[in-house]
Amino acid sequence: MDRRSLLAGAAAAGLAGGARSQEPAPEPTYEGMTFQSHDKAIRAIHYRPVGEGRRAAIVMMHGSGGRITNRGPWHQLAMRFAGDGYQVLTPLYTDAYPDDGIRPERMMEAWRDVGEHAIDWFIERGVDRRRTAMFGYSLGSYVAVDGALGNSRAAAATGLAGGTDVYTPRTPRRRIPVLMIRAEGDTHVLPRNTAAWVDFLREHDINVRVEVLRDSDHIFTAPKWLEIFQLSSAFYGGNIGRIDQDTA
């Protein structure tokens, strides 16, 4: 083969390599599914990371009036967690007990049990319980954190925009790390009520970290949802998502 042919072949190979390098990276996948909680079918979306990921899982509990969908900030947050290597489940916990706005204790218990059973769903499929966590927003923050500190086997929990005015917390039965994220200008769940919940948990020897979203209220903008992800991801990365978790 002459020099001209060699150069042409090299150029063609370079172009092919360049084309391959411009292919989009694989993204997390998701699909609708159901799981059981006290013989009730709970609708959810299951998000999966690319490859093995962190071998860890997060259950996300929506706020009042929430629904499961493959669009919007809740879906985008779940996709970010999946992109960070976590399996994610976003259950519609009101399938266990429709929300009447009054919310008696039996209703709250049914909702907490959905979170507990979602964690169990992951554990039954091979996720180490030390690598499972809860996340909740507003009403869901109580369902997630109070449930995780109750009968759940979750190893960590995050409460976003929650406080004692959402519901009266129960005395914790477990000791796991908790992240509380509140908005500086929240007029729906007042900062003093978030502080009261934090104080209550600390009085019961719960390790609570508090982060404040500046220039924000109860409804978050896209940049604030990104900040929420970053704060939560750092918290989970230091707990359920640690690289050395298997040998800890």
Side-chain angles (χ1 to χ4, degrees), residues 15-86:
L15 287 171
R20 284 194 297 271
S21 67
Q22 293 173 8
E23 292 178 357
E27 292 187 351
T29 59
Y30 60 90
E31 62 180 348
M33 47 84 73
T34 62
F35 66 94
Q36 296 295 307
S37 180
H38 297 310
D39 298 322
K40 295 287 185 66
I42 309 300
R43 290 169 288 175
I45 297 179
H46 180 205
Y47 298 78
R48 293 185 179 89
V50 175
E52 188 176 61
R54 296 176 184 262
R55 303 190 307 280
I58 300 169
V59 174
M60 293 173 54
M61 307 299 267
H62 59 77
S64 176
R67 57 194 179 92
I68 59 171
T69 177
N70 63 351
R71 60 181 60 86
W74 198 241
H75 168 74
Q76 292 163 7
L77 180 60
M79 286 291 284
R80 288 186 187 276
F81 282 137
D84 197 27
Y86 298 94

Side-chain angles (χ1 to χ4, degrees), residues 24 38 85 90 96 106 108 124 140 156 213 223:
H38 297 310
T90 59
R106 64 183 180 276
M108 306 306 290
E124 290 164 3
L213 302 172

Side-chain angles (χ1 to χ4, degrees), residues 1 15 22 31 37 76 78 85 97 108 115 123-124 128 131 166 173 185 188 207 210 232:
M1 183 179 294
L15 287 171
Q22 293 173 8
E31 62 180 348
S37 180
Q76 292 163 7
Y97 205 125
M108 306 306 290
I123 294 171
E124 290 164 3
D128 190 313
R131 289 185 176 274
V166 173
R173 298 184 59 185
H188 185 74
N207 178 14
V210 179
S232 305

Side-chain angles (χ1 to χ4, degrees), residues 122-170:
F122 278 123
I123 294 171
E124 290 164 3
R125 284 156 181 78
V127 179
D128 190 313
R129 64 177 180 80
R130 298 173 301 167
R131 289 185 176 274
T132 63
M134 299 292 298
F135 179 100
Y137 167 53
S138 193
L139 173 62
S141 70
Y142 170 82
V143 178
V145 175
D146 197 76
L149 295 171
N151 296 323
S152 173
R153 290 190 281 175
T158 296
L160 170 65
T164 56
D165 50 349
V166 173
Y167 214 80
T168 303
R170 303 173 302 170

